[in-house]
Amino acid sequence: MTLFDLTGKRALVTGARTGLGRGLAQALAGAGADIVGLGSQPMPDTAAAIHALGRTFHEVVRDLADPTGLDTLVEEIEAEAGPIDILVNNAGIIRRADVLDFTEADWDAVMDVNLKSLFFLSQAMARRWVQREQPGRIINIASMLSYQGGIRVPSYTASKHGVVGVTKLMANELAARGITVNAIAPGYMATDNTAALQADAVRNRQIMERIPAGRWGEPGDLATAVLFLAAPASSYVTGIVVPVDGGWLAR
Ligand code: NAP
């Protein structure tokens, strides 16, 4: 277990209020990390869950729809909460419409949160780690739609393909600085993000039929992947994408 011990580390998790983000924060706290949760709304349930694990929780209410000023934001977060060691870029949104109807507003909204803010938050964090000559861990949340096209989600698919590209690019440039950049690609997970799919009887059946594990994933299913990528002992693992998908990609 010492290989995965995060005692004394601090993780900044975006989108920590709900779903996968809360699960990722709980996994990191369970391994000993203190947590900074960032999202557009207060997150008392996440704070309570982290406190129950005996770790500190620092809340940052910030809308990542605005991808500007993230250098200053990271500076302020570290001044208030202490230095960050691990960044988990989990915040994400999805907009659904047919290709022929998809709007520019839905394109921009998704790209700003899922890709532009992810890159500039990572850049801000990496700049500070390089300045301090400190190792760091960046873990991005990708998707099955980093591999596949999907249906009725053009900006989401573009953003999640982009997340994998940026993960590899940043890994290449930052490896020599002791900073690893990796991604987790969750399969179909039961969260607010997929509420519309779960509620659609036809799509739900189609999805279930294709998952070898025979069930939707749960936030806790990502725990081992995030601990692997966050571990101090994983310093030679960079630029990879770890699918946690119940076998979806194998079909
Ligand atoms: P979720 O419950 O909807 O969580 C999304 C989180 O992102 C929320 O906590 C939300 O917090 C935060 N967020 C959204 N817009 C934001 C903004 N403008 N600024 C700051 N934070 C924002 O859905 P989820 O399934 O856990 O999604 C988490 C990540 O996993 C996303 O990147 C998603 O694309 C990815 N993913 C999900 C699945 C799945 O099947 N569920 C599969 C693959 C990948 P606030 O509302 O408080 O801002």
Side-chain angles (χ1 to χ4, degrees):
M1 288 307 290
T2 54
L3 289 173
F4 296 91
D5 186 12
L6 298 179
T7 304
K9 305 286 185 194
R10 185 173 290 103
L12 169 57
V13 181
T14 70
R17 184 177 63 84
T18 55
L20 305 186
R22 189 191 299 167
L24 292 163
Q26 286 179 266
L28 293 164
D34 291 320
I35 304 296
V36 178
L38 188 157
S40 70
Q41 304 176 51
M43 46 191 99
D45 293 345
T46 303
I50 301 306
H51 288 145
L53 291 164
R55 308 315 317 171
T56 68
F57 183 79
H58 181 89
E59 179 181 273
V60 180
V61 177
R62 169 60 150 82
D63 190 345
L64 291 174
D66 176 6
T68 64
L70 296 176
D71 251 325
T72 309
L73 177 71
V74 170
E75 191 180 339
E76 289 169 358
I77 289 172
E78 290 202 314
E80 285 176 21
I84 304 293
D85 304 281
I86 300 157
L87 169 63
V88 181
N89 285 305
N90 163 79
I93 58 171
I94 193 162
R95 297 279 168 88
R96 298 176 194 279
D98 293 346
V99 160
L100 300 186
D101 301 325
F102 207 79
T103 64
E104 188 176 354
D106 281 346
W107 180 271
D108 289 343
V110 172
M111 294 298 271
D112 281 350
V113 175
N114 293 15
L115 189 57
K116 194 168 179 181
S117 281
L118 173 146
F119 174 74
F120 285 104
L121 193 58
S122 302
Q123 181 196 57
M125 200 66 258
R127 280 176 172 163
R128 295 178 72 80
W129 287 333
V130 168
Q131 194 181 28
R132 296 200 291 261
E133 298 185 17
Q134 176 196 327
R137 296 276 178 273
I138 298 175
I139 300 161
N140 297 322
I141 302 305
S143 167
M144 291 298 98
L145 299 190
S146 300
Y147 303 91
Q148 301 173 315
I151 299 168
R152 304 184 73 246
V153 287
S155 55
Y156 187 83
T157 299
S159 73
K160 294 298 184 179
H161 273 66
V163 165
V164 168
V166 162
T167 298
K168 293 174 181 172
L169 169 124
M170 291 190 73
N172 292 337
E173 291 199 32
L174 296 173
R177 308 287 200 152
I179 299 168
T180 67
V181 189
N182 294 291
I184 297 170
Y188 284 80
M189 316 296 282
T191 67
D192 294 350
N193 174 289
T194 52
L197 286 182
Q198 294 171 69
D200 180 331
V202 175
R203 291 287 291 129
N204 195 347
R205 180 178 48 74
Q206 290 170 339
I207 288 166
M208 281 286 286
E209 281 172 358
R210 207 202 130 142
I211 302 173
R215 64 170 176 87
W216 286 71
E218 299 289 339
D221 289 320
L222 301 185
T224 47
V226 77
L227 294 183
F228 165 54
L229 296 176
S234 293
S235 61
Y236 207 60
V237 178
T238 196
I240 67 162
V241 185
V242 180
V244 181
D245 64 354
W248 174 276
L249 288 175
R251 284 292 284 269

